[in-house]
Amino acid sequence: MNYKNAKVILPEYLVKELQKYFQGGYLYIPIHKENQKAWGELSGYKEELKQRNTCIIQEFHNGCSINSLAKKYHLSTHAIKKIVY
């Protein structure tokens, strides 16, 4: 998280208005709902997991056992079952 000095990025009238409510600390301003990204979209991790899970499902349908998939992908057998079933 990057902290910015309000005096540098906000107009003076807005800084004075904020100071009526809060001074001398860190204030988190959340992203507007319309601009919010879903989990993993920004980093690309969601797509990586989708590709990995597709491979796991294909290998399972080609006869690979749950135990061998768990070892290969470093996941628990429970996690593999959740993916393939």
Coordinates of all heavy atoms in Angstrom, one line a residue:
M1 N 0.8 -1.2 0.0 CA 0.0 0.0 0.0 C 0.9 1.2 0.0 O 1.8 1.3 0.8 CB -0.9 0.0 1.2 CG -1.9 1.1 1.3 SD -3.0 1.1 2.7 CE -3.7 -0.6 2.5
N2 N 0.6 2.2 -0.8 CA 1.4 3.4 -0.9 C 0.7 4.5 -0.2 O -0.5 4.7 -0.3 CB 1.5 3.8 -2.4 CG 2.3 2.8 -3.2 OD1 3.1 2.1 -2.6 ND2 2.1 2.8 -4.5
Y3 N 1.4 5.2 0.7 CA 0.9 6.3 1.4 C 1.3 7.6 0.7 O 2.4 7.8 0.3 CB 1.4 6.3 2.9 CG 0.9 5.2 3.6 CD1 1.7 4.1 3.9 CD2 -0.4 5.2 4.1 CE1 1.2 3.0 4.6 CE2 -0.9 4.1 4.8 CZ -0.1 3.0 5.1 OH -0.6 1.9 5.7
K4 N 0.4 8.5 0.6 CA 0.6 9.8 -0.1 C 0.3 10.9 0.9 O -0.6 10.8 1.8 CB -0.3 10.0 -1.3 CG -0.2 8.9 -2.3 CD 1.1 9.0 -3.1 CE 1.0 7.9 -4.2 NZ 2.3 7.5 -4.6
N5 N 1.0 12.0 0.8 CA 0.7 13.2 1.7 C -0.5 13.9 1.0 O -0.5 14.3 -0.1 CB 1.9 14.1 1.7 CG 1.7 15.3 2.6 OD1 0.6 15.7 2.9 ND2 2.8 15.8 3.2
A6 N -1.6 14.0 1.8 CA -2.8 14.6 1.3 C -2.6 16.0 0.8 O -3.2 16.4 -0.2 CB -3.9 14.7 2.5
K7 N -1.7 16.8 1.4 CA -1.4 18.2 1.0 C -0.8 18.2 -0.5 O -1.0 19.2 -1.2 CB -0.4 18.9 1.9 CG -1.0 19.3 3.2 CD 0.0 20.0 4.0 CE -0.5 20.5 5.3 NZ 0.4 21.3 6.1
V8 N -0.2 17.1 -0.9 CA 0.4 17.1 -2.2 C -0.6 16.7 -3.3 O -0.6 17.2 -4.4 CB 1.6 16.0 -2.2 CG1 2.1 15.8 -3.6 CG2 2.6 16.4 -1.2
I9 N -1.6 15.9 -2.9 CA -2.5 15.4 -4.0 C -3.9 15.9 -3.9 O -4.7 15.8 -4.9 CB -2.5 13.8 -4.0 CG1 -3.0 13.3 -2.7 CG2 -1.2 13.3 -4.4 CD1 -3.3 11.8 -2.7
L10 N -4.3 16.5 -2.8 CA -5.7 17.0 -2.6 C -5.7 18.5 -2.6 O -4.8 19.2 -2.1 CB -6.3 16.4 -1.4 CG -6.5 14.9 -1.3 CD1 -7.0 14.5 0.1 CD2 -7.4 14.4 -2.4
P11 N -6.8 19.1 -3.0 CA -7.0 20.6 -2.9 C -7.0 21.0 -1.4 O -7.5 20.2 -0.6 CB -8.3 20.9 -3.6 CG -8.8 19.6 -4.1 CD -8.0 18.5 -3.7
E12 N -6.5 22.2 -1.1 CA -6.4 22.7 0.3 C -7.8 22.6 1.0 O -7.8 22.2 2.1 CB -5.9 24.1 0.3 CG -5.6 24.6 1.7 CD -5.0 26.0 1.7 OE1 -4.4 26.4 0.6 OE2 -5.0 26.6 2.7
Y13 N -8.9 23.0 0.3 CA -10.2 23.0 1.0 C -10.6 21.6 1.4 O -11.2 21.4 2.5 CB -11.3 23.6 0.1 CG -11.7 22.7 -1.0 CD1 -12.8 21.8 -0.8 CD2 -11.1 22.6 -2.3 CE1 -13.3 21.0 -1.8 CE2 -11.6 21.8 -3.3 CZ -12.6 21.0 -3.0 OH -13.1 20.1 -4.0
L14 N -10.2 20.6 0.6 CA -10.5 19.2 1.0 C -9.7 18.7 2.2 O -10.2 18.0 3.0 CB -10.3 18.3 -0.2 CG -10.8 16.8 -0.1 CD1 -12.3 16.7 0.4 CD2 -10.7 16.1 -1.4
V15 N -8.4 19.1 2.2 CA -7.5 18.7 3.3 C -8.1 19.3 4.6 O -8.2 18.6 5.6 CB -6.1 19.2 3.1 CG1 -5.2 19.0 4.3 CG2 -5.5 18.5 1.9
K16 N -8.5 20.6 4.6 CA -9.1 21.2 5.8 C -10.3 20.5 6.2 O -10.6 20.3 7.4 CB -9.3 22.7 5.5 CG -8.0 23.5 5.4 CD -8.3 25.0 5.2 CE -7.0 25.7 5.1 NZ -7.1 27.1 4.9
E17 N -11.1 20.1 5.3 CA -12.4 19.4 5.6 C -12.1 18.0 6.2 O -12.7 17.7 7.2 CB -13.2 19.2 4.3 CG -14.6 18.6 4.6 CD -15.5 19.5 5.4 OE1 -15.4 20.8 5.4 OE2 -16.4 19.0 6.1
L18 N -11.1 17.3 5.7 CA -10.7 16.0 6.3 C -10.2 16.2 7.7 O -10.4 15.4 8.6 CB -9.7 15.3 5.4 CG -10.2 14.7 4.1 CD1 -9.1 14.3 3.2 CD2 -11.1 13.5 4.4
Q19 N -9.4 17.3 7.9 CA -8.8 17.5 9.2 C -9.8 17.8 10.3 O -9.5 17.6 11.5 CB -7.8 18.7 9.1 CG -6.5 18.3 8.4 CD -5.6 19.5 8.1 OE1 -6.1 20.7 8.0 NE2 -4.3 19.3 8.0
K20 N -11.0 18.1 9.9 CA -12.1 18.3 10.9 C -12.5 16.9 11.5 O -12.9 16.8 12.6 CB -13.4 18.9 10.2 CG -13.2 20.3 9.8 CD -14.5 20.8 9.1 CE -14.4 22.1 8.6 NZ -15.6 22.6 7.8
Y21 N -12.2 15.8 10.8 CA -12.6 14.5 11.2 C -11.5 13.6 11.6 O -11.6 12.8 12.5 CB -13.4 13.8 10.1 CG -14.6 14.5 9.6 CD1 -14.5 15.4 8.5 CD2 -15.8 14.3 10.3 CE1 -15.7 16.1 8.1 CE2 -16.9 15.0 9.8 CZ -16.9 15.9 8.8 OH -18.0 16.6 8.4
F22 N -10.3 13.9 11.0 CA -9.2 13.0 11.3 C -7.9 13.7 11.0 O -7.7 14.4 10.0 CB -9.3 11.8 10.3 CG -8.3 10.7 10.5 CD1 -8.5 9.8 11.5 CD2 -7.2 10.6 9.7 CE1 -7.6 8.8 11.7 CE2 -6.3 9.6 9.9 CZ -6.5 8.6 10.9
Q23 N -6.9 13.6 11.9 CA -5.6 14.3 11.8 C -4.5 13.4 12.2 O -4.6 12.6 13.2 CB -5.6 15.6 12.6 CG -6.5 16.7 12.1 CD -6.2 17.9 12.9 OE1 -5.1 18.3 13.2 NE2 -7.3 18.6 13.3
G24 N -3.3 13.5 11.5 CA -2.1 13.0 12.0 C -2.0 11.4 11.9 O -1.1 10.9 12.6
G25 N -2.8 10.8 11.2 CA -2.8 9.3 11.1 C -2.9 8.9 9.6 O -2.9 9.7 8.7
Y26 N -3.0 7.6 9.4 CA -3.2 7.1 8.1 C -4.7 6.8 7.9 O -5.4 6.3 8.7 CB -2.4 5.7 7.9 CG -1.0 5.9 8.1 CD1 -0.3 5.4 9.2 CD2 -0.2 6.6 7.1 CE1 1.1 5.6 9.3 CE2 1.1 6.8 7.2 CZ 1.8 6.3 8.3 OH 3.1 6.4 8.5
L27 N -5.2 7.2 6.7 CA -6.5 7.0 6.4 C -6.6 6.2 5.1 O -6.0 6.5 4.1 CB -7.2 8.4 6.1 CG -8.6 8.4 5.7 CD1 -9.5 7.9 6.8 CD2 -9.1 9.9 5.3
Y28 N -7.3 5.1 5.2 CA -7.5 4.2 4.0 C -8.7 4.7 3.2 O -9.8 4.8 3.8 CB -7.7 2.7 4.4 CG -8.0 1.8 3.3 CD1 -7.0 1.5 2.4 CD2 -9.3 1.3 3.1 CE1 -7.3 0.6 1.3 CE2 -9.6 0.5 2.0 CZ -8.6 0.1 1.1 OH -8.8 -0.7 0.1
I29 N -8.5 4.9 1.9 CA -9.7 5.2 1.1 C -9.8 4.0 0.1 O -9.0 3.8 -0.8 CB -9.4 6.5 0.3 CG1 -9.1 7.7 1.3 CG2 -10.5 6.9 -0.6 CD1 -8.6 8.9 0.7
P30 N -11.0 3.3 0.2 CA -11.2 2.1 -0.6 C -11.4 2.5 -2.0 O -11.9 3.6 -2.4 CB -12.4 1.5 0.1 CG -13.1 2.5 0.8 CD -12.0 3.5 1.2
I31 N -11.2 1.5 -2.9 CA -11.5 1.6 -4.3 C -13.0 1.6 -4.5 O -13.7 0.9 -3.9 CB -10.8 0.5 -5.1 CG1 -9.3 0.5 -5.0 CG2 -11.3 0.4 -6.5 CD1 -8.6 -0.7 -5.6
H32 N -13.4 2.5 -5.4 CA -14.8 2.5 -5.8 C -15.3 1.2 -6.3 O -14.5 0.6 -7.1 CB -15.1 3.7 -6.8 CG -16.5 4.0 -6.9 ND1 -17.4 3.3 -7.7 CD2 -17.3 5.0 -6.3 CE1 -18.6 3.9 -7.6 NE2 -18.6 4.9 -6.8
K33 N -16.4 0.7 -6.0 CA -16.9 -0.6 -6.4 C -16.8 -0.8 -7.9 O -16.4 -1.9 -8.3 CB -18.4 -0.7 -6.1 CG -18.9 -1.5 -4.9 CD -18.7 -2.9 -4.8 CE -19.6 -3.5 -3.8 NZ -18.8 -4.6 -3.1
E34 N -17.0 0.2 -8.7 CA -17.0 0.0 -10.2 C -15.6 -0.3 -10.7 O -15.4 -0.9 -11.7 CB -17.5 1.3 -10.8 CG -18.9 1.6 -10.6 CD -19.4 2.9 -11.2 OE1 -18.5 3.7 -11.7 OE2 -20.6 3.2 -11.0
N35 N -14.5 0.2 -9.9 CA -13.1 0.0 -10.3 C -12.5 -1.2 -9.7 O -11.3 -1.5 -9.9 CB -12.3 1.2 -10.0 CG -12.9 2.4 -10.7 OD1 -13.4 2.3 -11.8 ND2 -12.7 3.6 -10.1
Q36 N -13.2 -1.9 -8.8 CA -12.6 -3.0 -8.0 C -12.4 -4.2 -8.9 O -13.3 -4.6 -9.7 CB -13.5 -3.3 -6.8 CG -12.9 -4.0 -5.7 CD -13.8 -4.0 -4.5 OE1 -15.0 -3.9 -4.6 NE2 -13.2 -4.2 -3.3
K37 N -11.3 -4.9 -8.7 CA -11.0 -6.1 -9.4 C -11.3 -7.3 -8.6 O -11.2 -7.2 -7.3 CB -9.5 -6.2 -9.8 CG -9.0 -5.0 -10.6 CD -9.2 -5.2 -12.1 CE -8.6 -4.1 -12.8 NZ -9.2 -3.9 -14.1
A38 N -11.7 -8.4 -9.2 CA -12.0 -9.6 -8.4 C -10.6 -10.2 -8.0 O -9.6 -9.9 -8.5 CB -12.7 -10.6 -9.3
W39 N -10.7 -11.1 -7.0 CA -9.5 -11.8 -6.5 C -8.7 -12.4 -7.6 O -9.2 -13.1 -8.5 CB -9.9 -12.8 -5.5 CG -8.7 -13.6 -4.9 CD1 -7.9 -13.2 -3.9 CD2 -8.1 -14.8 -5.5 NE1 -6.9 -14.1 -3.7 CE2 -7.0 -15.1 -4.7 CE3 -8.4 -15.6 -6.5 CZ2 -6.2 -16.2 -4.9 CZ3 -7.6 -16.7 -6.8 CH2 -6.5 -17.0 -6.0
G40 N -7.4 -12.1 -7.7 CA -6.5 -12.8 -8.6 C -6.5 -12.2 -10.0 O -5.6 -12.6 -10.8
E41 N -7.3 -11.2 -10.3 CA -7.3 -10.6 -11.6 C -6.1 -9.7 -11.9 O -5.5 -9.8 -12.9 CB -8.6 -9.8 -11.8 CG -9.8 -10.6 -12.1 CD -11.1 -9.8 -12.4 OE1 -11.1 -8.6 -12.0 OE2 -12.0 -10.3 -13.0
L42 N -5.8 -9.0 -10.9 CA -4.7 -8.0 -11.0 C -3.3 -8.8 -11.2 O -2.5 -8.4 -12.0 CB -4.6 -7.1 -9.8 CG -3.8 -5.8 -9.9 CD1 -4.3 -5.0 -11.1 CD2 -3.9 -5.0 -8.7
S43 N -3.1 -9.8 -10.4 CA -1.8 -10.5 -10.4 C -1.8 -11.6 -11.5 O -0.7 -12.1 -11.9 CB -1.6 -11.2 -9.1 OG -2.5 -12.2 -8.8
G44 N -2.9 -12.0 -12.0 CA -3.0 -13.1 -13.0 C -3.0 -14.5 -12.3 O -3.1 -15.5 -13.0
Y45 N -3.0 -14.5 -11.0 CA -3.0 -15.8 -10.3 C -4.3 -16.6 -10.6 O -4.2 -17.8 -10.7 CB -2.8 -15.6 -8.8 CG -2.4 -16.9 -8.1 CD1 -1.3 -17.6 -8.4 CD2 -3.2 -17.3 -7.1 CE1 -1.0 -18.8 -7.8 CE2 -3.0 -18.5 -6.4 CZ -1.8 -19.2 -6.7 OH -1.6 -20.4 -6.1
K46 N -5.4 -15.9 -10.7 CA -6.7 -16.6 -10.9 C -6.6 -17.4 -12.2 O -7.0 -18.6 -12.3 CB -7.8 -15.6 -11.0 CG -9.2 -16.2 -11.1 CD -10.2 -15.1 -11.0 CE -11.6 -15.7 -11.0 NZ -12.6 -14.6 -10.8
E47 N -6.0 -16.8 -13.3 CA -5.9 -17.5 -14.5 C -4.9 -18.7 -14.4 O -5.1 -19.8 -15.0 CB -5.4 -16.5 -15.6 CG -5.4 -17.1 -17.0 CD -6.7 -17.6 -17.5 OE1 -7.8 -17.1 -17.1 OE2 -6.7 -18.6 -18.2
E48 N -3.8 -18.5 -13.7 CA -2.8 -19.6 -13.5 C -3.5 -20.8 -12.8 O -3.3 -21.9 -13.2 CB -1.7 -19.1 -12.6 CG -0.6 -18.3 -13.2 CD 0.5 -18.0 -12.3 OE1 1.0 -18.9 -11.5 OE2 0.8 -16.8 -12.2
L49 N -4.3 -20.6 -11.8 CA -5.0 -21.7 -11.1 C -6.0 -22.3 -12.1 O -6.2 -23.6 -12.0 CB -5.8 -21.1 -9.9 CG -4.9 -20.8 -8.7 CD1 -5.7 -20.3 -7.5 CD2 -4.0 -21.9 -8.3
K50 N -6.7 -21.5 -12.9 CA -7.6 -22.1 -13.8 C -6.9 -23.1 -14.8 O -7.4 -24.2 -15.1 CB -8.3 -21.0 -14.6 CG -9.4 -21.4 -15.5 CD -10.1 -20.2 -16.2 CE -11.1 -20.7 -17.2 NZ -11.7 -19.5 -17.9
Q51 N -5.8 -22.6 -15.3 CA -5.0 -23.5 -16.2 C -4.5 -24.7 -15.5 O -4.6 -25.8 -16.1 CB -3.8 -22.7 -16.8 CG -4.3 -21.6 -17.8 CD -3.1 -20.8 -18.2 OE1 -2.0 -20.9 -17.8 NE2 -3.4 -19.8 -19.1
R52 N -4.0 -24.6 -14.3 CA -3.5 -25.7 -13.5 C -4.6 -26.7 -13.3 O -4.5 -27.9 -13.5 CB -2.9 -25.3 -12.2 CG -2.4 -26.4 -11.3 CD -2.4 -26.2 -9.9 NE -3.8 -26.0 -9.4 CZ -4.1 -25.6 -8.1 NH1 -3.1 -25.3 -7.3 NH2 -5.3 -25.5 -7.8
N53 N -5.8 -26.2 -12.9 CA -6.9 -27.1 -12.6 C -7.4 -27.8 -13.9 O -7.8 -29.0 -13.8 CB -8.1 -26.3 -12.0 CG -7.7 -25.9 -10.6 OD1 -6.7 -26.3 -10.0 ND2 -8.5 -25.0 -10.0
T54 N -7.4 -27.1 -15.0 CA -7.7 -27.8 -16.3 C -6.8 -28.9 -16.6 O -7.2 -30.0 -17.0 CB -7.7 -26.7 -17.4 OG1 -8.6 -25.7 -17.1 CG2 -8.0 -27.4 -18.8
C55 N -5.5 -28.7 -16.4 CA -4.5 -29.8 -16.5 C -4.8 -31.0 -15.6 O -4.7 -32.2 -16.0 CB -3.1 -29.3 -16.3 SG -2.5 -28.2 -17.6
I56 N -5.1 -30.7 -14.4 CA -5.4 -31.7 -13.4 C -6.6 -32.5 -13.8 O -6.6 -33.8 -13.8 CB -5.6 -31.1 -12.0 CG1 -4.3 -30.6 -11.4 CG2 -6.2 -32.1 -11.0 CD1 -4.4 -29.8 -10.1
I57 N -7.6 -31.9 -14.3 CA -8.8 -32.6 -14.7 C -8.6 -33.4 -15.9 O -9.0 -34.6 -16.0 CB -10.0 -31.5 -15.0 CG1 -10.4 -30.9 -13.7 CG2 -11.1 -32.2 -15.7 CD1 -11.3 -29.6 -13.9
Q58 N -7.8 -32.9 -16.9 CA -7.5 -33.7 -18.1 C -6.7 -34.9 -17.7 O -6.9 -36.1 -18.2 CB -6.7 -32.9 -19.1 CG -7.5 -31.8 -19.8 CD -6.7 -30.9 -20.7 OE1 -5.5 -30.9 -20.6 NE2 -7.4 -30.2 -21.6
E59 N -5.7 -34.8 -16.8 CA -4.8 -35.9 -16.4 C -5.7 -36.9 -15.7 O -5.5 -38.2 -15.8 CB -3.7 -35.4 -15.6 CG -2.6 -34.7 -16.4 CD -1.5 -34.2 -15.5 OE1 -1.0 -34.9 -14.7 OE2 -1.1 -33.0 -15.7
F60 N -6.6 -36.5 -14.8 CA -7.4 -37.4 -14.1 C -8.3 -38.2 -15.1 O -8.4 -39.4 -14.9 CB -8.3 -36.6 -13.1 CG -9.3 -37.5 -12.3 CD1 -8.8 -38.3 -11.3 CD2 -10.6 -37.5 -12.6 CE1 -9.7 -39.1 -10.6 CE2 -11.5 -38.3 -11.9 CZ -11.1 -39.1 -10.9
H61 N -8.9 -37.6 -16.1 CA -9.7 -38.2 -17.1 C -8.9 -39.2 -17.9 O -9.4 -40.1 -18.5 CB -10.5 -37.3 -17.9 CG -11.6 -36.6 -17.2 ND1 -12.6 -37.3 -16.5 CD2 -11.9 -35.3 -16.9 CE1 -13.5 -36.4 -16.0 NE2 -13.0 -35.2 -16.2
N62 N -7.6 -38.9 -18.0 CA -6.7 -39.8 -18.8 C -6.2 -41.0 -17.9 O -5.3 -41.7 -18.4 CB -5.5 -39.0 -19.4 CG -6.0 -38.1 -20.5 OD1 -7.0 -38.4 -21.2 ND2 -5.3 -37.0 -20.8
G63 N -6.7 -41.1 -16.7 CA -6.3 -42.2 -15.9 C -5.3 -42.0 -14.8 O -5.0 -42.9 -14.0
C64 N -4.9 -40.8 -14.6 CA -3.9 -40.5 -13.5 C -4.7 -40.6 -12.1 O -5.8 -40.1 -12.0 CB -3.4 -39.0 -13.6 SG -1.6 -38.9 -13.5
S65 N -4.1 -41.2 -11.1 CA -4.7 -41.3 -9.8 C -4.7 -40.0 -9.0 O -3.9 -39.1 -9.3 CB -4.0 -42.4 -9.0 OG -2.8 -42.0 -8.6
I66 N -5.6 -40.0 -8.1 CA -5.7 -38.8 -7.2 C -4.4 -38.6 -6.4 O -3.9 -37.5 -6.3 CB -6.9 -39.0 -6.2 CG1 -8.2 -39.1 -6.9 CG2 -6.9 -37.9 -5.1 CD1 -8.9 -37.9 -7.2
N67 N -3.8 -39.7 -5.9 CA -2.6 -39.7 -5.2 C -1.4 -39.2 -6.0 O -0.6 -38.3 -5.6 CB -2.2 -41.0 -4.6 CG -3.1 -41.4 -3.4 OD1 -3.6 -40.5 -2.7 ND2 -3.3 -42.7 -3.2
S68 N -1.3 -39.6 -7.2 CA -0.2 -39.2 -8.1 C -0.3 -37.7 -8.5 O 0.6 -37.0 -8.5 CB 0.0 -40.1 -9.3 OG -1.2 -40.0 -10.2
L69 N -1.6 -37.3 -8.7 CA -1.8 -35.8 -9.0 C -1.5 -35.0 -7.8 O -0.9 -33.9 -7.9 CB -3.3 -35.6 -9.4 CG -3.7 -36.2 -10.8 CD1 -5.2 -36.2 -11.0 CD2 -2.9 -35.4 -11.9
A70 N -1.8 -35.5 -6.6 CA -1.5 -34.7 -5.4 C 0.0 -34.5 -5.2 O 0.4 -33.4 -4.9 CB -2.1 -35.4 -4.2
K71 N 0.7 -35.6 -5.5 CA 2.2 -35.5 -5.4 C 2.8 -34.6 -6.5 O 3.6 -33.7 -6.2 CB 2.8 -36.9 -5.5 CG 2.6 -37.7 -4.3 CD 3.2 -39.1 -4.4 CE 2.8 -39.9 -3.2 NZ 3.3 -41.3 -3.4
K72 N 2.3 -34.7 -7.7 CA 2.8 -33.9 -8.8 C 2.6 -32.4 -8.6 O 3.4 -31.6 -8.9 CB 2.1 -34.4 -10.1 CG 2.6 -33.6 -11.3 CD 2.0 -34.2 -12.6 CE 2.4 -33.3 -13.8 NZ 1.9 -33.8 -15.0
Y73 N 1.4 -32.1 -8.1 CA 1.0 -30.7 -8.0 C 1.2 -30.1 -6.6 O 0.8 -29.0 -6.3 CB -0.4 -30.4 -8.5 CG -0.5 -30.6 -10.0 CD1 -0.9 -31.8 -10.6 CD2 -0.2 -29.5 -10.8 CE1 -1.0 -31.9 -12.0 CE2 -0.3 -29.7 -12.2 CZ -0.7 -30.9 -12.8 OH -0.8 -31.0 -14.1
H74 N 1.7 -30.9 -5.7 CA 2.0 -30.5 -4.3 C 0.7 -30.0 -3.6 O 0.7 -29.0 -3.0 CB 3.1 -29.5 -4.2 CG 4.3 -29.9 -5.0 ND1 5.2 -30.8 -4.4 CD2 4.9 -29.5 -6.1 CE1 6.2 -30.9 -5.3 NE2 6.0 -30.2 -6.3
L75 N -0.3 -30.8 -3.8 CA -1.6 -30.5 -3.2 C -2.1 -31.7 -2.4 O -1.6 -32.8 -2.6 CB -2.7 -30.2 -4.3 CG -2.5 -29.0 -5.1 CD1 -3.5 -28.9 -6.3 CD2 -2.6 -27.7 -4.3
S76 N -3.0 -31.5 -1.5 CA -3.6 -32.6 -0.7 C -4.5 -33.4 -1.6 O -5.0 -32.9 -2.6 CB -4.3 -32.1 0.5 OG -5.5 -31.4 0.1
T77 N -4.8 -34.7 -1.2 CA -5.7 -35.5 -2.0 C -7.1 -34.9 -2.0 O -7.9 -34.9 -2.9 CB -5.8 -36.9 -1.5 OG1 -6.1 -36.9 -0.1 CG2 -4.5 -37.7 -1.8
H78 N -7.4 -34.2 -0.8 CA -8.7 -33.6 -0.7 C -8.8 -32.4 -1.7 O -9.9 -32.3 -2.3 CB -8.9 -33.0 0.8 CG -10.1 -32.3 1.0 ND1 -11.4 -32.9 1.1 CD2 -10.4 -31.0 1.1 CE1 -12.3 -32.0 1.3 NE2 -11.7 -30.8 1.3
A79 N -7.8 -31.6 -1.9 CA -7.8 -30.5 -2.9 C -8.0 -31.1 -4.3 O -8.7 -30.5 -5.1 CB -6.5 -29.7 -2.7
I80 N -7.3 -32.1 -4.6 CA -7.4 -32.7 -5.9 C -8.8 -33.2 -6.2 O -9.4 -33.0 -7.2 CB -6.4 -33.9 -6.1 CG1 -5.0 -33.4 -6.1 CG2 -6.7 -34.6 -7.4 CD1 -4.5 -32.5 -7.2
K81 N -9.4 -33.9 -5.2 CA -10.8 -34.3 -5.3 C -11.8 -33.2 -5.5 O -12.7 -33.3 -6.3 CB -11.2 -35.1 -4.0 CG -10.6 -36.5 -3.9 CD -11.0 -37.1 -2.6 CE -10.3 -38.5 -2.4 NZ -10.6 -39.1 -1.1
K82 N -11.6 -32.1 -4.9 CA -12.4 -30.9 -5.1 C -12.3 -30.4 -6.5 O -13.3 -29.9 -7.1 CB -12.1 -29.8 -4.1 CG -12.6 -30.0 -2.7 CD -12.1 -29.0 -1.7 CE -12.5 -27.6 -2.0 NZ -12.1 -26.6 -1.0
I83 N -11.1 -30.5 -7.1 CA -10.9 -30.0 -8.4 C -11.6 -30.9 -9.5 O -12.2 -30.5 -10.4 CB -9.4 -29.8 -8.7 CG1 -8.8 -28.7 -7.9 CG2 -9.2 -29.5 -10.2 CD1 -7.3 -28.6 -7.8
V84 N -11.4 -32.2 -9.3 CA -11.8 -33.2 -10.3 C -13.3 -33.6 -10.2 O -13.9 -34.0 -11.2 CB -10.9 -34.4 -10.4 CG1 -9.5 -34.1 -10.8 CG2 -11.0 -35.2 -9.1
Y85 N -13.9 -33.4 -9.0 CA -15.3 -33.9 -8.9 C -16.2 -32.7 -9.0 O -16.7 -32.0 -8.4 CB -15.5 -34.6 -7.6 CG -14.8 -35.9 -7.5 CD1 -14.1 -36.3 -6.4 CD2 -14.8 -36.8 -8.6 CE1 -13.4 -37.6 -6.3 CE2 -14.1 -38.0 -8.6 CZ -13.4 -38.4 -7.4 OH -12.8 -39.6 -7.4

